[in-house]
PDB file of all heavy atoms in Angstrom:
ATOM      1  N   GLN A 242      66.434 121.269 119.962  1.00 94.00           N
ATOM      2  CA  GLN A 242      67.042 122.568 120.239  1.00 94.00           C
ATOM      3  C   GLN A 242      68.494 122.408 120.673  1.00 94.00           C
ATOM      4  O   GLN A 242      69.362 123.202 120.269  1.00 94.00           O
ATOM      5  CB  GLN A 242      66.235 123.287 121.327  1.00 94.00           C
ATOM      6  CG  GLN A 242      64.846 123.707 120.873  1.00 94.00           C
ATOM      7  CD  GLN A 242      63.961 124.141 122.018  1.00 94.00           C
ATOM      8  OE1 GLN A 242      64.222 123.828 123.187  1.00 94.00           O
ATOM      9  NE2 GLN A 242      62.890 124.868 121.703  1.00 94.00           N
ATOM     10  N   CYS A 243      68.772 121.386 121.455  1.00 95.00           N
ATOM     11  CA  CYS A 243      70.154 121.124 121.881  1.00 95.00           C
ATOM     12  C   CYS A 243      71.026 120.762 120.679  1.00 95.00           C
ATOM     13  O   CYS A 243      72.169 121.235 120.572  1.00 95.00           O
ATOM     14  CB  CYS A 243      70.150 119.999 122.909  1.00 95.00           C
ATOM     15  SG  CYS A 243      71.774 119.614 123.591  1.00 95.00           S
ATOM     16  N   ALA A 244      70.493 119.947 119.764  1.00 94.00           N
ATOM     17  CA  ALA A 244      71.248 119.566 118.570  1.00 94.00           C
ATOM     18  C   ALA A 244      71.548 120.784 117.707  1.00 94.00           C
ATOM     19  O   ALA A 244      72.669 120.951 117.206  1.00 94.00           O
ATOM     20  CB  ALA A 244      70.469 118.524 117.770  1.00 94.00           C
ATOM     21  N   GLY A 245      70.549 121.654 117.519  1.00 95.00           N
ATOM     22  CA  GLY A 245      70.767 122.858 116.728  1.00 95.00           C
ATOM     23  C   GLY A 245      71.783 123.785 117.359  1.00 95.00           C
ATOM     24  O   GLY A 245      72.650 124.342 116.668  1.00 95.00           O
ATOM     25  N   ALA A 246      71.711 123.956 118.668  1.00 96.00           N
ATOM     26  CA  ALA A 246      72.668 124.825 119.361  1.00 96.00           C
ATOM     27  C   ALA A 246      74.079 124.259 119.276  1.00 96.00           C
ATOM     28  O   ALA A 246      75.059 125.003 119.136  1.00 96.00           O
ATOM     29  CB  ALA A 246      72.246 124.993 120.817  1.00 96.00           C
ATOM     30  N   LEU A 247      74.184 122.942 119.356  1.00 96.00           N
ATOM     31  CA  LEU A 247      75.499 122.308 119.250  1.00 96.00           C
ATOM     32  C   LEU A 247      76.114 122.558 117.875  1.00 96.00           C
ATOM     33  O   LEU A 247      77.296 122.913 117.767  1.00 96.00           O
ATOM     34  CB  LEU A 247      75.363 120.807 119.501  1.00 96.00           C
ATOM     35  CG  LEU A 247      76.653 119.991 119.426  1.00 96.00           C
ATOM     36  CD1 LEU A 247      77.623 120.419 120.514  1.00 96.00           C
ATOM     37  CD2 LEU A 247      76.348 118.499 119.544  1.00 96.00           C
ATOM     38  N   MET A 248      75.322 122.391 116.822  1.00 95.00           N
ATOM     39  CA  MET A 248      75.833 122.660 115.477  1.00 95.00           C
ATOM     40  C   MET A 248      76.240 124.116 115.339  1.00 95.00           C
ATOM     41  O   MET A 248      77.322 124.420 114.819  1.00 95.00           O
ATOM     42  CB  MET A 248      74.772 122.314 114.424  1.00 95.00           C
ATOM     43  CG  MET A 248      75.164 122.749 113.009  1.00 95.00           C
ATOM     44  SD  MET A 248      73.836 122.605 111.815  1.00 95.00           S
ATOM     45  CE  MET A 248      73.959 120.880 111.407  1.00 95.00           C
ATOM     46  N   TRP A 249      75.392 125.006 115.780  1.00 95.00           N
ATOM     47  CA  TRP A 249      75.646 126.437 115.676  1.00 95.00           C
ATOM     48  C   TRP A 249      76.972 126.801 116.334  1.00 95.00           C
ATOM     49  O   TRP A 249      77.823 127.481 115.755  1.00 95.00           O
ATOM     50  CB  TRP A 249      74.502 127.199 116.345  1.00 95.00           C
ATOM     51  CG  TRP A 249      74.231 128.555 115.764  1.00 95.00           C
ATOM     52  CD1 TRP A 249      75.112 129.351 115.085  1.00 95.00           C
ATOM     53  CD2 TRP A 249      73.001 129.256 115.795  1.00 95.00           C
ATOM     54  NE1 TRP A 249      74.499 130.506 114.698  1.00 95.00           N
ATOM     55  CE2 TRP A 249      73.194 130.472 115.122  1.00 95.00           C
ATOM     56  CE3 TRP A 249      71.745 128.970 116.331  1.00 95.00           C
ATOM     57  CZ2 TRP A 249      72.179 131.423 114.982  1.00 95.00           C
ATOM     58  CZ3 TRP A 249      70.738 129.907 116.196  1.00 95.00           C
ATOM     59  CH2 TRP A 249      70.950 131.118 115.524  1.00 95.00           C
ATOM     60  N   THR A 250      77.170 126.310 117.558  1.00 95.00           N
ATOM     61  CA  THR A 250      78.368 126.658 118.318  1.00 95.00           C
ATOM     62  C   THR A 250      79.622 126.038 117.729  1.00 95.00           C
ATOM     63  O   THR A 250      80.634 126.706 117.519  1.00 95.00           O
ATOM     64  CB  THR A 250      78.206 126.209 119.776  1.00 95.00           C
ATOM     65  OG1 THR A 250      77.029 126.797 120.337  1.00 95.00           O
ATOM     66  CG2 THR A 250      79.428 126.602 120.604  1.00 95.00           C
ATOM     67  N   CYS A 251      79.551 124.737 117.433  1.00 95.00           N
ATOM     68  CA  CYS A 251      80.735 124.014 116.962  1.00 95.00           C
ATOM     69  C   CYS A 251      81.225 124.558 115.625  1.00 95.00           C
ATOM     70  O   CYS A 251      82.423 124.847 115.463  1.00 95.00           O
ATOM     71  CB  CYS A 251      80.426 122.524 116.858  1.00 95.00           C
ATOM     72  SG  CYS A 251      81.815 121.521 116.302  1.00 95.00           S
ATOM     73  N   VAL A 252      80.312 124.699 114.675  1.00 95.00           N
ATOM     74  CA  VAL A 252      80.700 125.179 113.348  1.00 95.00           C
ATOM     75  C   VAL A 252      81.258 126.595 113.428  1.00 95.00           C
ATOM     76  O   VAL A 252      82.290 126.913 112.814  1.00 95.00           O
ATOM     77  CB  VAL A 252      79.498 125.109 112.379  1.00 95.00           C
ATOM     78  CG1 VAL A 252      79.809 125.849 111.081  1.00 95.00           C
ATOM     79  CG2 VAL A 252      79.146 123.660 112.094  1.00 95.00           C
ATOM     80  N   THR A 253      80.607 127.458 114.200  1.00 94.00           N
ATOM     81  CA  THR A 253      81.071 128.843 114.317  1.00 94.00           C
ATOM     82  C   THR A 253      82.472 128.911 114.889  1.00 94.00           C
ATOM     83  O   THR A 253      83.337 129.625 114.374  1.00 94.00           O
ATOM     84  CB  THR A 253      80.103 129.653 115.196  1.00 94.00           C
ATOM     85  OG1 THR A 253      78.797 129.653 114.601  1.00 94.00           O
ATOM     86  CG2 THR A 253      80.582 131.085 115.341  1.00 94.00           C
ATOM     87  N   VAL A 254      82.726 128.150 115.945  1.00 95.00           N
ATOM     88  CA  VAL A 254      84.042 128.194 116.596  1.00 95.00           C
ATOM     89  C   VAL A 254      85.125 127.639 115.676  1.00 95.00           C
ATOM     90  O   VAL A 254      86.192 128.252 115.503  1.00 95.00           O
ATOM     91  CB  VAL A 254      84.002 127.413 117.930  1.00 95.00           C
ATOM     92  CG1 VAL A 254      85.415 127.234 118.484  1.00 95.00           C
ATOM     93  CG2 VAL A 254      83.127 128.137 118.945  1.00 95.00           C
TER      94      VAL A 254
END
Side-chain angles (χ1 to χ4, degrees):
Q242 292 168 341
C243 183
L247 180 64
M248 172 190 278
W249 209 335
T250 303
C251 181
V252 169
T253 300
V254 170

